[in-house]
Amino acid sequence: MLAVTAVSQSATDPLSGLVLGDIPQPEPRPGWSTVRVVASSLNMHDLWTLRGVGHPPERLPIVLGCDAAGYDEEGNEVLVHPVIADPDAGLGDETLDPKRALLSEQHHGAFAEHLSVPTRNLIPKPSWLTFDEAACLPVAWGTAYRMLFTQAGIRAGDRVLIQGAGGGVASAAIKLAVAAGAVVYATSRSAVKRAQAQSWGVRKAVASGERLPERVDVVIETVGEATWSHSLKSLRPGGTVVIAGATSGTNPPADLGRIFYLQQRILGSTGCTHGELVGLLKLMDATGVRPVIDRVLPLGEIHKGFQLMIDGRLIGKLVIHPPQEEPS
């Protein structure tokens, strides 16, 4: 089958390790199912793997791709929960299992014609959701859902700042927070991305680092060093920063004096549980909110997709289509 594999890592030339070619089909195994992939989507996690960040080189080669929607072995339409873990080992939360793994970390990922995953990771795809929309949800939208509703516990009327409008998680967080009735602010260095955030219903989109009209209850942070100081200064006393990524760096000045004096809370968040992904689907059904898709590319143009991500030219998600089998 055709697949996209990471064969080497380079911080300066990540695409040099990205190979498109044929690999063997997944082998059947007890408790696992094979999914015929109709759509997948690109995530920063894929780029980090190619750069050698958080992915040991001894796990290469490995098929990339964390998100998938397609058909199971019985022909049912499904989307794939991408966290492969034991909920019991995480005290009921599979994201807390010390041995958890996202697709493409320890098991081959979704940039392929077929994908093998534990059967419990399959979730029926609702008929009102397209395959392309479904492929956008598991990582970016699932992460945003957990950040907003599980970790931050936002309610209608809360003031929420979302840093870095335009990224996959940030775009999802904006649309979900607006749908939940929050007053949302967003930041971006790009005027185009600020205008896009305004069209999604934010109260105000400002340039990165610009002062907000008011302090907020919650900050959704995925940028890291470049926005950390602004995040803390924008937060009200007793407010919460939820962080699920640090694309600009992981070690900003902590500003501990501000944190303890204003009793601010800093919460980490990673991925989502199976139950949270189902909860996300229910929220989308109730509100009509849908993913932001920048564009769709065939698997054969995966290098172009990665370059668009590297250049920061995406607003929302980039969907990937593997070749489709002819109907039997």
Side-chain angles (χ1 to χ4, degrees), residues 1-7 18-26 62-64 108-115 299-300 302-303 322-323:
M1 67 174 180
L2 191 65
V4 172
T5 305
V7 298
L18 190 66
V19 173
L20 175 70
D22 286 323
I23 67 169
Q25 292 269 4
I62 197 161
V63 177
L64 296 179
H108 285 314
F111 291 155
E113 295 178 78
H114 294 90
L115 168 69
L299 190 63
I302 191 77
H303 288 78

Side-chain angles (χ1 to χ4, degrees), residues 45-117:
H45 186 276
D46 302 305
L47 186 56
W48 292 135
T49 298
L50 289 169
R51 285 178 168 159
V53 178
H55 190 100
E58 58 267 23
R59 290 185 187 163
L60 300 181
I62 197 161
V63 177
L64 296 179
C66 309
D67 290 325
Y71 294 97
D72 68 10
E73 292 153 337
E74 283 74 48
N76 301 305
E77 298 182 354
V78 295
L79 67 155
V80 177
H81 177 233
V83 180
I84 299 175
D86 178 4
D88 292 337
L91 301 177
D93 183 335
E94 56 262 47
T95 69
L96 297 178
D97 176 1
K99 296 182 179 180
R100 75 178 187 275
L102 196 64
L103 271 178
S104 80
E105 289 182 342
Q106 297 179 19
H107 309 280
H108 285 314
F111 291 155
E113 295 178 78
H114 294 90
L115 168 69
S116 180
V117 293

Side-chain angles (χ1 to χ4, degrees), residues 118-161:
T119 302
R120 74 170 300 274
N121 285 60
L122 300 183
I123 295 174
K125 182 185 78 64
S127 59
W128 46 263
L129 195 66
T130 69
F131 281 109
D132 287 359
E133 290 169 338
C136 296
L137 300 182
V139 172
W141 280 65
T143 296
Y145 181 92
R146 181 178 176 89
M147 294 174 80
L148 288 166
F149 301 107
T150 302
Q151 305 292 56
I154 70 161
R155 297 172 295 181
D158 280 352
R159 271 57 181 163
V160 178
L161 167 62

Side-chain angles (χ1 to χ4, degrees), residues 279-314:
L280 167 63
L281 293 174
K282 291 179 179 179
L283 175 61
M284 293 174 66
D285 186 28
T287 62
V289 67
R290 296 293 184 271
V292 182
I293 297 176
D294 184 280
R295 69 192 73 193
V296 179
L297 293 176
L299 190 63
E301 296 183 24
I302 191 77
H303 288 78
K304 176 182 177 180
F306 271 95
Q307 192 62 57
L308 289 166
M309 174 172 278
I310 291 169
D311 294 341
R313 292 166 57 192
L314 299 175

